[in-house]
Amino acid sequence: MKTKISKIRRWVNNGNVSRFRFWIQIIAFILFVYGSYFLIQVGQNLPTFACPYNPGSPGTCFLMSVQHRMHTSFSALFSWRGVGFLTSLLSFVLFFIIFNKAWCGFLCPLGTIQDWITMLRKRLGIRGGQYDEKSFKKLSWIKYVLLALLFLIPLAISNSFFGLPKLSHDLHTPFCQICPARIILPLFSGDTSQLSINFSSTVTIVMSSLAIIILALFFVGSFVKKRFFCFFCPMSALQYLFSKIGILRLTKVGDKCTRCGNCSRVCDMGILSIAEDITSVNVVTDNCMMCFKCVEACPEEDCLNVKVLNFKIFTSTEEGFFKRYNPAGDSKELPSEQSKK
Ligand code: SF4
Ligand code: SF4
Ligand code: SF4
């Protein structure tokens, strides 16, 4: 029995998680973009962009629920409506707790589209860009600002802050109004109605024009920089607030790390701390999408680990590394080569 388990472990640790991820992303994309055509319903508070503007969507992203629920007076928020908010938050957390930030690495359709754009760029032989460390730190705050605004703007429609006039009702779901998923995902169902300027009022003209600009930035940015939009995504910020309670974990044994830098070189989010931090055990940071490419690229035995609770399901091994990155064979490019792209 013991030898059977160690054989399975060895097989998993030698496996190609990136290829597995590629197929899971395709299945998840079909589910979250076309699910309702197969009569699938997956709930209203998903920690990913399943956008109800898309006729094929089997559910609703939690950010939309939040904006609807915040569109209320303070007194209502601290009564029955507050209970509704807590219930939807609980269901978001229940979805999230199982996969943690792997919702981003494996399941989010917007994340998958960005990965496909990167694949296209690589096929065309065009090199991508990276943020320097300073810009990385500065830009990381934007998603938290967007998250705060997404709560505060709907509240400021029904309440007056500091005696200021209430905001226009046309700003009812401010993030959805500018979210690229609202335009892109319906396009996959053949619905082009979201790709337009809404001329109902000055506010809607501004917001829908902003949405088109952000859409263009999404495509151009993702072509130039891997996972460009994820860096600014408020869903990622919200997820990070709960990531410590996720049962899926990415951990590191600092004593085993040689700081070779392989893990940060292959990281699509450009996270340097994954290589540099040798003190933290939980190495999931706010920009991490739990894709586990770093675990694949680490040549040190048991240094980086993917765990469900405390049970290791995938771990870095020397054998696994050489199987995946054998420069003489037909396997993946070495991490040093990948970092240039
Ligand atoms: S960060 Fe946002 S866009 Fe990127 S994969 Fe996660 S939820 Fe999707
Ligand atoms: S690849 Fe492994 S050994 Fe190298 S820096 Fe990353 S965690 Fe440390
Ligand atoms: S730190 Fe590792 S798991 Fe997180 S995004 Fe980078 S490569 Fe993926």
Side-chain angles (χ1 to χ4, degrees):
M1 182 69 182
K2 232 179 171 178
T3 34
K4 227 177 185 178
I5 293 175
S6 62
K7 262 188 184 171
I8 295 172
R9 274 179 186 267
R10 194 171 155 213
W11 178 75
V12 172
N13 292 336
N14 287 348
N16 188 332
V17 172
S18 297
R19 196 173 300 149
F20 172 70
R21 181 171 156 250
F22 172 82
W23 289 109
I24 294 290
Q25 283 183 300
I26 290 185
I27 295 167
F29 189 87
I30 295 168
L31 171 71
F32 290 119
V33 178
Y34 301 109
S36 82
Y37 296 130
F38 303 105
L39 304 179
I40 297 171
Q41 283 303 321
V42 283
Q44 300 298 313
N45 299 297
L46 296 169
T48 189
F49 285 119
C51 182
Y53 286 95
N54 167 27
S57 178
T60 305
C61 115
F62 180 63
L63 297 185
M64 183 184 238
S65 305
V66 166
Q67 291 165 92
H68 278 300
R69 296 207 184 269
M70 288 298 118
H71 189 183
T72 187
S73 65
F74 282 129
S75 51
L77 192 64
F78 290 104
S79 59
W80 61 271
R81 207 152 175 146
V83 176
F85 172 70
L86 288 178
T87 319
S88 62
L89 181 67
L90 188 68
S91 101
F92 166 84
V93 171
L94 286 177
F95 278 123
F96 179 71
I97 211 167
I98 304 165
F99 294 116
N100 204 336
K101 291 200 99 216
W103 277 96
C104 294
F106 287 74
L107 303 169
C108 175
L110 222 53
T112 300
I113 292 170
Q114 291 172 82
D115 289 346
W116 290 344
I117 295 172
T118 298
M119 274 181 217
L120 174 70
R121 173 176 58 72
K122 286 187 175 176
R123 280 270 158 102
L124 296 173
I126 300 170
R127 278 180 66 163
Q130 298 261 22
Y131 295 125
D132 57 51
E133 212 181 330
K134 226 170 155 190
S135 323
F136 183 93
K137 280 187 183 145
K138 260 191 206 160
L139 295 172
S140 283
W141 283 100
I142 294 178
K143 55 180 165 301
Y144 294 101
V145 173
L146 287 173
L147 181 65
L149 288 175
L150 179 157
F151 277 83
L152 291 175
I153 292 175
L155 269 175
I157 294 172
S158 308
N159 305 277
S160 164
F161 281 96
F162 312 111
L164 293 169
K166 291 177 186 174
L167 294 180
S168 159
H169 272 269
D170 289 340
L171 278 169
H172 52 95
T173 46
F175 182 70
C176 292
Q177 284 170 297
I178 58 164
C179 176
R182 178 183 58 84
I183 303 175
I184 298 171
L185 299 184
L187 289 178
F188 281 92
S189 298
D191 178 355
T192 55
S193 60
Q194 299 300 320
L195 187 59
S196 60
I197 306 284
N198 183 343
F199 287 97
S200 322
S201 70
T202 314
V203 170
T204 59
I205 292 173
V206 171
M207 294 304 274
S208 54
S209 305
L210 198 56
I212 305 279
I213 294 168
I214 291 173
L215 179 74
L217 279 175
F218 175 92
F219 283 112
V220 176
S222 308
F223 193 78
V224 175
K225 160 97 189 59
K226 292 173 187 167
R227 291 278 178 142
F228 168 80
F229 177 78
C230 294
F231 218 75
F232 308 105
C233 177
M235 181 71 91
S236 172
L238 183 67
Q239 289 180 352
Y240 186 58
L241 301 180
F242 296 95
S243 89
K244 293 250 179 327
I245 56 170
I247 60 169
L248 187 66
R249 291 170 192 165
L250 174 61
T251 64
K252 182 169 175 177
V253 181
D255 290 349
K256 298 188 174 178
C257 176
T258 57
R259 297 175 87 173
C260 67
N262 272 1
C263 49
S264 60
R265 276 193 284 273
V266 297
C267 176
D268 287 350
M269 297 302 290
I271 297 168
L272 294 178
S273 65
I274 188 73
E276 289 168 358
D277 185 352
I278 51 165
T279 50
S280 306
V281 175
N282 178 355
V283 278
V284 175
T285 55
D286 60 348
N287 289 310
C288 178
M289 55 170 166
M290 289 187 119
C291 64
F292 309 134
K293 279 173 89 171
C294 48
V295 185
E296 282 190 325
C298 177
E300 301 303 325
E301 217 61 34
D302 285 331
C303 180
L304 288 175
N305 302 288
V306 182
K307 292 181 177 173
V308 172
L309 294 171
N310 268 339
F311 182 77
K312 276 185 208 167
I313 56 167
F314 180 53
T315 190
S316 57
T317 61
E318 195 180 346
E319 187 187 8
F321 173 80
F322 282 110
K323 279 227 148 101
R324 287 183 287 267
Y325 294 101
N326 173 12
D330 58 353
S331 37
K332 289 150 74 93
E333 281 169 325
L334 281 166
S336 53
E337 287 303 308
Q338 287 193 40
S339 64
K340 295 174 191 159
K341 299 179 176 177

